[in-house]
Amino acid sequence: MMRVLISEWIDQMGVHEGYNDLLSSMLLLVVIGLIGLVAYLIARRVLNLYSHKIADKTATTIDDMLIEKGVFRMLARIAPALTIYMMLPMLGEGATVVEELIISLIIIFVTIAVYRVLDALVDSVKGRSKTKAGPMKGISQVIKIGIGVVAGLLIIVTFMGNEKGWAIFSSIGGLSAVLLLIFRDSILGFVAGIQLSTDNLLKLGDWLEMPKYNADGEVVDISLTKITVRNWDKTYTAIPAYRFLEESFKNWEGMTESGGRRIKRSINVDMNTVGFLTEEEIEKLRRIDILKAYLAGKFVELDEFNTNVSGDHLANRRQLTNIGTFRAYIREYLKHHPKVHNDMTLIARQLQPTEKGMPIEIYCFTNVTAWADYEGIQSDIFDHLLAIMPEFGLRPYQQISGYDLVAYR
């Protein structure tokens, strides 16, 4: 009907009859295009208005993510394409190529809209749970690959016709081995993502250490094919996802969740300074508040033992040693330290003596896990212990340097 009206209007304008069909088709295309533009403006306005109204009334974040990702803007583009497609029969037989283009555009618009919906779902899950965000992203990428392949095949079928197009589609089965090779990393990464998620081994924000790949930092992205780590020196390391099923790695998140970070460090004591405490030294140590309870209990224990011992030889009697009392002081000092976790293991022990002295190992946990704070606490503890050692008649072991040789000449 519209084509007839346009043709009659062209005749009234006095245009040569031989150009009537061509001009009619061109003007009809312009009219259809304008109608499609109006359809787009109306669809965009309606979708934008109602999507924001619904998003404002709901407490969920998924609708906000859909708006942010532009899902409704992409859906609005489908409206003019459908409008133009339905009006193309007015053009007659010459509309075949245009129909194929419009169908292909609709397929592309729908595919992009689905991609954005998947991205919105991943971001919504990420906002609620970092644990599930990693595998969700991998699953969405697998779905995207599948949708992309199907969309590509549908476009091929649209342009080549049903018989040739579906013949190509059926021949894909013979190329399965090639496809498996092409998507090897994606398939392995997907399997790795599921495994990591099932065992709760890795998630966004975890502190990951993987020396083989020089990775030591925070996990900032978990995708289908790779895990991205932002190292503490602000560099980035991308590791193939399937490597996490083949290689060993350390996840420090358990330490963060526990609320305590381990200190495991030794002080080497010069064994030439180890000995029994004299009465004068004991009296001096009695003035240390945190040692008073230990010394009182120790004196009772030693007196009970020594009353049944005959002779005054040191080998026959039990006495306090400076290194044993120093270990007791370390334990009490750590128990009273406001930054040491008292509900976790706390030990001050001797290790196997070496040519570098007698190691006294401090094994405890701080009650903060932040790296900078932890290092400051650890340094303060050892600063104090090194400085207090002379009070027990002990000296830390240190290899002789050139300065020592000059000083003792």
Side-chain angles (χ1 to χ4, degrees), residues 176-194:
S176 58
V178 177
L179 291 175
L180 287 174
L181 182 62
I182 293 173
F183 296 111
R184 172 181 174 272
D185 287 353
S186 299
I187 295 170
L188 291 175
F190 176 69
V191 174
I194 297 297

Side-chain angles (χ1 to χ4, degrees), residues 133-331:
M136 186 67 183
K137 184 173 183 179
I139 293 171
S140 72
Q141 289 178 329
V142 171
I143 295 174
K144 284 181 180 180
I145 291 173
I147 292 174
V149 171
V150 172
L153 292 173
L154 289 175
I155 291 173
I156 292 174
V157 170
T158 301
F159 279 102
M160 299 190 67
N162 289 337
E163 293 184 2
K164 292 182 179 180
W166 289 112
I168 293 174
F169 183 80
S170 61
S171 67
I172 294 296
L175 299 175
S176 58
V178 177
L179 291 175
L180 287 174
L181 182 62
I182 293 173
F183 296 111
R184 172 181 174 272
D185 287 353
S186 299
I187 295 170
L188 291 175
F190 176 69
V191 174
I194 297 297
Q195 187 69 44
L196 292 171
S197 173
T198 303
D199 296 337
N200 196 24
L201 297 176
L202 193 67
K203 62 181 181 293
L204 291 176
D206 284 0
W207 173 6
L208 172 72
E209 186 177 351
M210 205 168 185
K212 182 174 181 179
Y213 296 94
N214 294 320
D216 185 12
E218 180 183 359
V219 177
V220 294
D221 185 60
I222 301 177
S223 68
L224 183 62
T225 56
K226 67 180 185 300
I227 309 293
T228 304
V229 178
R230 181 173 58 212
N231 300 308
W232 301 127
D233 61 359
K234 304 306 180 184
T235 60
Y236 288 84
T237 301
I239 307 169
Y242 64 86
R243 291 295 184 189
F244 286 83
L245 299 182
E246 301 174 352
E247 310 288 347
S248 62
F249 65 94
K250 182 183 289 187
N251 187 343
W252 291 84
E253 184 61 19
M255 175 269 295
T256 303
E257 292 175 351
S258 71
R261 187 164 181 176
R262 187 183 70 175
I263 294 175
K264 185 183 179 184
R265 183 182 290 185
S266 300
I267 296 175
N268 288 337
V269 178
D270 187 344
M271 287 188 286
N272 291 318
T273 62
V274 176
F276 293 115
L277 290 173
T278 65
E279 290 295 333
E280 182 182 350
E281 290 171 331
I282 292 173
E283 288 302 319
K284 183 180 178 182
L285 295 176
R286 282 180 186 272
R287 297 198 297 269
I288 300 176
D289 290 340
I290 60 175
L291 275 180
K292 287 180 179 179
Y294 166 78
L295 291 174
K298 206 67 178 174
F299 288 144
V300 173
E301 178 186 337
L302 295 179
D303 288 341
E304 289 177 356
F305 180 86
N306 292 332
T307 53
N308 299 318
V309 174
S310 59
D312 295 331
H313 197 282
L314 292 178
N316 296 329
R317 303 175 63 84
R318 288 183 60 186
Q319 298 186 66
L320 290 175
T321 61
N322 55 359
I323 194 168
T325 307
F326 180 57
R327 285 191 294 108
Y329 173 82
I330 294 174
R331 287 195 301 270

Side-chain angles (χ1 to χ4, degrees), residues 99 110 153 292 364:
E99 285 181 359
V110 171
L153 292 173
K292 287 180 179 179
C364 64

